[in-house]
Amino acid sequence: MQNKKILVLISGSGSNLQAFIEAQKNADFGGEIVAVISNKSDAFGLQRAKKAGIPAISILHTDYSSREAFDQALAQEINKYQADLILLAGFMRILTAEFVAEFQGRLLNIHPSLLPKYTGLRTHKRALDSQDEYHGSSVHFVTEELDGGPVIAQAKTKIKKDDTEEALVSRVLALEHQLYPAVVNMLLRDQIKFKQGEIYFENKKLQQPIVF
Ligand code: GRF
């Protein structure tokens, strides 16, 4: 089977990107990262990409006068690579409706909460403050609504009595490094499909997120 093309968008550390760099070394993984794009030139993830021999591109949002202009430039660059999947991995930008529509069904995000709980920022702190029993991460298709698209799969961790925000951040990140490549591989292998806003898992409509 020919490898499918993956493009990763980042803004920061890129530890999830690193998980894909490791995953693609595995013969069972059905994809290959064709490029990494960051909206910040100092994102550490760009160095991770270069080290792995992957084209590492900066498109700085600060160089554009509007959100629309930036998203157009980003889409233009993405289209050069003919990617099958576009992965947001710590990409800290709100995307325009036009951008999302162009890539819908091929655009995924990982968000550090058990969606629909806690869209937006500081999710770990909010889970701790609410004394939740569980916290975790979700992989979802991206729609116009921020962190609001259909959720494919989630990984959970039990919140401990003495947990700190920092401890929870690192525990959830470690889960993400397993979850995201596993879910993406299911898409690459056509086990998961997205049709008319619905997720299908092995040709059956997915009623609730797959739990890892
Ligand atoms: C992760 O927690 C992810 O869920 C969120 O941003 C963080 C990215 O971390 N969207 P990294 O840059 O992959 O290390």
Side-chain angles (χ1 to χ4, degrees):
M1 191 174 69
Q2 221 200 328
N3 266 352
K4 292 195 176 160
K5 294 177 185 169
I6 299 170
L7 193 144
V8 186
L9 301 182
I10 59 164
S11 300
S13 154
S15 71
N16 278 287
L17 164 66
Q18 190 66 47
F20 283 101
I21 293 172
E22 301 310 320
Q24 70 176 4
K25 293 178 187 162
N26 188 326
D28 291 340
F29 191 72
E32 186 189 342
I33 307 167
V34 291
V36 172
I37 304 177
S38 172
N39 66 313
K40 292 195 169 173
S41 55
D42 60 354
F44 182 62
L46 288 172
Q47 292 183 41
R48 297 183 193 264
K50 280 185 201 146
K51 200 167 164 212
I54 300 165
I57 301 145
S58 300
I59 302 181
L60 309 183
H61 60 276
T62 45
D63 285 348
Y64 295 84
S65 58
S66 67
R67 193 173 289 283
E68 286 71 23
F70 170 74
D71 278 11
Q72 277 165 19
L74 184 61
Q76 211 170 33
E77 188 65 28
I78 291 173
N79 283 328
K80 288 185 193 164
Y81 292 91
Q82 303 275 303
D84 297 286
L85 286 180
I86 298 123
L87 308 181
L88 308 183
F91 186 64
M92 303 301 283
R93 294 280 306 166
I94 293 173
L95 296 162
T96 55
E98 291 71 24
F99 182 95
V100 171
E102 182 166 354
F103 298 108
Q104 193 142 55
R106 292 193 284 150
L107 188 59
L108 294 183
N109 183 38
I110 187 155
H111 179 75
S113 80
L114 297 172
L115 291 171
K117 277 193 164 180
Y118 314 128
T119 60
L121 300 173
R122 296 296 293 271
T123 56
H124 311 81
K125 181 172 187 306
R126 288 153 68 197
L128 281 172
D129 289 349
S130 307
Q131 300 185 316
D132 287 357
E133 195 182 354
Y134 289 96
H135 186 49
S137 188
S138 306
V139 176
H140 65 94
F141 284 105
V142 176
T143 58
E144 261 181 62
E145 198 188 329
L146 181 70
D147 303 324
V151 177
I152 307 167
Q154 298 182 317
K156 285 183 179 187
T157 182
K158 206 167 166 63
I159 297 185
K160 299 174 190 165
K161 237 195 339 214
D162 55 352
D163 252 337
T164 58
E165 186 181 358
E166 217 181 12
L168 207 48
V169 166
S170 72
R171 217 154 69 243
V172 169
L173 261 184
L175 287 176
E176 291 189 335
H177 301 157
Q178 304 294 318
L179 174 72
Y180 209 2
V183 173
V184 165
N185 205 23
M186 289 166 118
L187 272 133
L188 295 169
R189 298 184 165 278
D190 290 330
Q191 266 180 300
I192 292 173
K193 289 181 186 153
F194 186 68
K195 291 183 232 163
Q196 277 120 36
E198 311 263 20
I199 300 169
Y200 288 79
F201 176 55
E202 293 181 334
N203 297 320
K204 289 200 192 88
K205 208 181 270 188
L206 190 68
Q207 303 297 346
Q208 37 190 307
I210 301 164
V211 177
F212 276 74

